[in-house]
Amino acid sequence: LFGYVGIEAVLDQMRIKTMKTGFEFNIMVVGQSGLGKSTMVNTLFKSKVSRRATQPGREERIPKTVQLQSVTHVIEEKGVKMKLTVTDTPGFGDQINNENCWDPIIKYINEQYERYLREEILITRKRKIPDTRVHGCVYFVPPTGHWLRPLDLEFMRRLSKIVNVVPVIAKADTLTLEERAEFKQRIQRDLKAHAISVYPQEDFDEDPDDRSLNDRIREKIPFAVVGADQEHQVNGKRVLGRKTKWGIIEVENPVHCEFPMLRDLLIRSHLQDLKDITHNVHYESYRVRRLNEGTR
Ligand code: GDP
Ligand code: MG
């Protein structure tokens, strides 16, 4: 009866467990106002992973985001339920003085760690602690085609110390293909020169396979994304895209932009890794810091 249990059976049990309990995954979008953050939140929810789950849309104009705001949808892939929450943030950079414009965002991220910590240190812990911690923070770089601005560098430097940062080039349809490629390389150099370690961080590659997969991703970062929340008819199919005088930019078409890479990284290939690094690295350093404070 208690003989050999194959790995398949173990994996099945794990799958059944997540199917029952589901799991929580939280993303945040950050960047200056007008860069398409709110649009991207809708793009994520409307794109293929979740199309079945979303309500067929009333198309609404996206209002200007004035406060931190979270949207949650339960999406299901192959029988596994996932509670995906995306937190939209108001754009910064509207003020003449942008000093400390990262404060509300950093405060929000830390508050979620604090909340988790308080549950964790209770004597009677919940079997499953509700997880509102931010697993991935998508940082929108304006498509200037030049360099990263001091504000972007400073923001990412601060964020990367407490959360997984995934930078993207916003509104990439406003750059030519050459401009995109050049800008991307310049950003990679800038980040390296300033020792800003964005996701996937080299330090956390676990083995050579991991390393070679992640190296290929690191070459592509920041993804040049385009967002859209309207569907159009293309060759008899409904596609999510932006209609221009020259044609439709299909956001889910990897030939048109790198939104599919962003989506696949976040909610498919690296989902578990983003959760693991959040728990084992970012939350852990928060926890250690907090508990040390307590004993002083
Ligand atoms: P947010 O302030 O960062 O939340 O930006 P919004 O999502 O509100 O978008 C601001 C404007 O940019 C809207 O008119 C959008 O339709 C437009 N927009 C959003 N994403 C893109 C994009 O990828 N390319 C282009 N060209 N425009 C975009
Ligand atoms: Mg917005």
Side-chain angles (χ1 to χ4, degrees), residues 32-39 62 65 171 173 226-227 242:
Q32 194 169 323
S33 58
L35 290 180
K37 294 181 300 299
S38 301
T39 306
I62 295 173
T65 321
K171 297 185 171 182
D173 53 316
V226 178
R242 304 189 73 81

Side-chain angles (χ1 to χ4, degrees), residues 199-226:
Y199 185 83
Q201 303 90 334
E202 271 176 63
D203 298 351
F204 308 143
D205 290 341
E206 277 178 355
D207 54 47
D209 285 348
D210 240 24
R211 167 136 309 186
S212 69
L213 168 66
N214 286 345
D215 277 343
R216 265 179 287 142
I217 291 166
R218 283 187 280 264
E219 278 168 28
K220 300 274 189 215
I221 278 185
F223 301 127
V225 299
V226 178

Side-chain angles (χ1 to χ4, degrees), residues 134-174:
V134 178
H135 300 115
C137 176
V138 181
Y139 187 88
F140 285 65
V141 175
T144 59
H146 303 294
W147 301 273
L148 284 177
R149 304 165 309 168
L151 182 63
D152 294 316
L153 284 167
E154 188 60 24
F155 216 133
M156 282 194 272
R157 194 178 65 76
R158 287 167 187 262
L159 280 175
S160 63
K161 289 184 180 154
I162 60 167
V163 72
N164 293 315
V165 177
V166 180
V168 297
I169 298 173
K171 297 185 171 182
D173 53 316
T174 60

Side-chain angles (χ1 to χ4, degrees), residues 25 27 44 49 82 84 263-269 271:
F25 188 63
I27 301 171
L44 267 172
V49 240
M82 161 161 81
L84 174 63
R263 180 199 53 205
D264 288 354
L265 178 89
L266 290 178
I267 47 192
R268 287 189 182 141
S269 61
L271 186 142

Side-chain angles (χ1 to χ4, degrees), residues 196-263:
I196 297 169
S197 159
V198 297
Y199 185 83
Q201 303 90 334
E202 271 176 63
D203 298 351
F204 308 143
D205 290 341
E206 277 178 355
D207 54 47
D209 285 348
D210 240 24
R211 167 136 309 186
S212 69
L213 168 66
N214 286 345
D215 277 343
R216 265 179 287 142
I217 291 166
R218 283 187 280 264
E219 278 168 28
K220 300 274 189 215
I221 278 185
F223 301 127
V225 299
V226 178
D229 65 344
Q230 312 260 323
E231 291 193 332
H232 304 276
Q233 203 79 24
V234 174
N235 301 328
K237 267 189 272 170
R238 308 283 296 161
V239 301
L240 206 51
R242 304 189 73 81
K243 192 172 182 174
T244 74
K245 272 195 172 166
W246 308 277
I248 289 169
I249 306 162
E250 300 166 31
V251 300
E252 292 182 86
N253 183 340
V255 176
H256 290 198
C257 78
E258 296 174 339
F259 167 73
M261 283 188 192
L262 174 68
R263 180 199 53 205

